[in-house]
Amino acid sequence: IFAEGAISRTGNMLPFKRGMERIVQGLDVPIIPVHIDRLWGSIFSFEGGSFFWKWPKRIPYPVTVSFGAPLPSTATAQEVRQAIQELASDATAHRTTPADRLDLRLVRSARRNWRRFAMADSTGRELTYGRMLAGALLIGKWIRGASANDERIGVLLPSTVGGALVNIGATIAGRIPVNLNFTAGREGMASAVGQCHIRTTITSRAFLAKAKIEAWEGMVFLEDILASAGKWAQARAFLAARFVPAALLCRGGHAPDSPATIIFSSGSTGTPKGVMLSHSNVLANIEAIAQVFWIGGRDRIVGGLPFFHSFGYTVTIWFPLISGCGAVYHPNPTDARAIAELVAKYRGTFLLSTPTLCSGYTRKCSREEFASLRYVLVGAEKLRAPVAAAFHEKFGVELLEGYGCTEMAPVVAVNVPNFEAPKNVQIGNKPGTVGHPLQIGRAHV
């Protein structure tokens, strides 16, 4: 029995119908919970808004079927649904392969989307996927040679193309990038550097001057790294990015469960604490986000969140680039005019923000500038109804509230747009909540 009664249009597991309870009422039979993993994304799912009319992602297409412990016939629909959700969580362990690494996934995505727009920032710098991968390889080669005995590399850069390339290059080089929180002050950054035993920190002279941060021993400047790469080195990086097998490009010795980054807390409750996120952690979050937000090659994610924030790291660096869409960066999310100009210039479709920032956008930005937006995801604070109503009235786009935490890499739950058809309404957005917990899979009993 497929107790949902319909195929999900939102990517979430639907509520279970009470008809299941009526079928077993008065019968002394067990209820066997069964979960079928990975059907979302198959040609029989509504991924991308279409059923059946799409190419399969793999041939043969893999699924995992999990059977749970028998439940009594008196179990409620909600209790059965809970049991299947737990099976769904356990089933993801069967997906992991040695290729489940951020660097390998990114190389394959870059080659599929070689000439497409990959990233840009408010300085005017724009890169295609091919140029992005070549630039990351150049930086990665420098990191591999200059830090042969270092496991972790400090990154002190704002949300820009350069900051994203350093994170990607470090990962390809087999190092763990640690984005330092420059708002935590010298003491907070020194604590993170000490805890991670960081000897090399990549930064920028222009950024240090603007942020009024004094240089310290072990700092290397991105301007010097790029300047040291001559035309021959650039040409070799471009050819390698295009033709060298991904396994040879990414020889860092990563494993799916090895750390991909370390994100530090703000230190509001004491000394900043480092949270290690593995490649599997980040990839699982990316796959779960992609299940509820249908992102394609024409989408552009606009974000001003810093890379030392787990949301900025996962959702503005790796999620768009592995999903095959574009990313647009600006270091200051409070700069409403700059954000509006970037959304308008690059036809941004996915905006990451907070309710307070969106309140400012409502006052300072025009409807025409935000006309291309499809999704606006907000978190970090409670979304008040007047803020959501004002934004929707001006721009015609709903604010979708979510919740996350660093330890969860980071998105835990999120509202998504409702699906409404004459005979089929599926609720994805319930104001006043943080939405459905992220999940991957589909169920039947």
Side-chain angles (χ1 to χ4, degrees):
I1 301 168
F2 286 89
E4 295 167 276
I7 297 176
S8 174
R9 263 72 162 182
T10 65
N12 290 308
M13 187 186 296
L14 302 177
F16 280 15
K17 305 295 185 181
R18 297 288 299 276
M20 184 200 77
E21 297 176 6
R22 297 193 188 99
I23 290 173
V24 297
Q25 187 175 10
L27 299 178
D28 185 19
V29 295
I31 297 175
I32 310 298
V34 182
H35 180 263
I36 309 175
D37 186 48
R38 292 192 278 196
L39 284 197
W40 184 265
S42 74
I43 62 172
F44 301 105
S45 70
F46 268 91
E47 184 189 47
S50 63
F51 177 75
F52 192 75
W53 296 106
K54 50 183 173 285
W55 290 103
K57 293 181 177 180
R58 289 195 231 168
I59 299 176
Y61 190 89
V63 298
T64 301
V65 183
S66 305
F67 298 87
L71 299 173
S73 60
T74 55
T76 66
Q78 178 55 38
E79 289 171 340
V80 176
R81 187 176 186 272
Q82 175 66 29
I84 291 177
Q85 284 183 306
E86 292 173 6
L87 289 177
S89 177
D90 295 339
T92 58
H94 295 282
R95 300 183 182 194
T96 304
T97 71
D100 286 336
R101 291 166 27 190
L102 294 172
D103 47 352
L104 290 174
R105 290 278 191 96
L106 181 130
V107 171
R108 295 189 176 107
S109 175
R111 288 175 172 170
R112 285 194 305 269
N113 302 284
W114 188 257
R115 292 184 178 86
R116 283 184 174 176
F117 171 86
M119 58 174 64
D121 61 29
S122 49
T123 67
R125 188 171 188 184
E126 300 180 17
L127 296 177
T128 62
Y129 269 85
R131 292 179 61 203
M132 174 274 297
L133 182 56
L137 288 176
L138 275 175
I139 295 171
K141 182 180 179 181
W142 183 93
I143 291 174
R144 189 179 286 122
S147 59
N149 299 319
D150 295 339
E151 182 183 14
R152 298 157 184 155
I153 295 292
V155 182
L156 185 61
L157 291 166
S159 301
T160 58
V161 166
L165 288 180
V166 170
N167 274 274
I168 297 166
T171 304
I172 289 175
R175 306 297 187 268
I176 302 170
V178 181
N179 290 276
L180 302 176
N181 183 352
F182 44 82
T183 68
R186 183 64 179 261
E187 185 176 339
M189 290 187 287
S191 174
V193 169
Q195 290 183 58
C196 292
H197 307 288
I198 293 171
R199 295 192 296 180
T200 302
T201 298
I202 300 176
T203 186
S204 159
R205 289 190 181 90
F207 173 68
L208 292 185
K210 189 170 184 178
K212 298 180 180 179
I213 298 173
E214 293 183 7
W216 63 72
E217 185 180 355
M219 277 189 170
V220 179
F221 301 107
L222 181 58
E223 297 94 331
D224 297 341
I225 296 174
L226 297 177
S228 66
K231 291 185 178 180
W232 174 236
Q234 295 175 31
R236 286 199 307 174
F238 190 83
L239 291 172
R242 189 60 170 148
F243 299 111
V244 174
L248 294 180
L249 287 180
C250 309
R251 294 176 294 173
H254 294 303
D257 59 352
S258 64
T261 189
I262 299 175
I263 305 289
F264 275 84
S265 66
S266 63
S268 57
T269 58
T271 303
K273 301 174 181 63
V275 177
M276 291 189 290
L277 300 178
S278 70
H279 289 255
S280 292
N281 294 153
V282 178
L283 284 171
N285 212 242
I286 289 171
E287 291 174 358
I289 297 169
Q291 180 165 311
V292 294
F293 292 107
W294 302 341
I295 298 296
R298 296 183 179 180
D299 283 290
R300 306 283 185 268
I301 295 180
V302 181
L305 297 176
F307 297 152
F308 60 73
H309 190 288
S310 58
F311 209 108
Y313 176 82
T314 296
V315 186
T316 65
I317 298 179
W318 295 104
F319 172 58
L321 298 178
I322 288 177
S323 300
C325 67
V328 182
Y329 304 118
H330 182 61
N332 183 6
T334 65
D335 188 350
R337 292 305 317 144
I339 294 294
E341 290 170 6
L342 287 172
V343 172
K345 178 179 179 180
Y346 292 101
R347 306 294 297 167
T349 56
F350 196 131
L351 178 63
L352 307 173
S353 193
T354 70
T356 296
L357 293 174
C358 284
S359 182
Y361 301 157
T362 303
R363 295 193 306 271
K364 300 176 182 179
C365 305
S366 70
R367 185 181 182 94
E368 292 72 24
E369 288 171 321
F370 278 5
S372 59
L373 288 177
R374 294 199 297 134
Y375 305 118
V376 180
L377 180 58
V378 298
E381 59 181 288
K382 181 177 176 59
L383 174 60
R384 295 182 295 109
V387 173
F391 193 93
H392 184 265
E393 181 179 358
K394 183 166 186 178
F395 303 114
V397 181
E398 287 186 300
L399 294 182
L400 301 171
E401 186 173 7
Y403 170 78
C405 60
T406 301
E407 292 81 358
M408 297 298 287
V411 185
V412 175
V414 66
N415 283 283
V416 299
N418 298 328
F419 174 82
E420 297 182 7
K423 295 184 179 180
N424 186 7
V425 176
Q426 297 181 8
I427 302 300
N429 183 19
K430 187 175 181 180
T433 74
V434 295
H436 289 274
L438 288 182
Q439 61 185 32
I440 303 174
R442 152 161 192 103
H444 89 285
V445 293

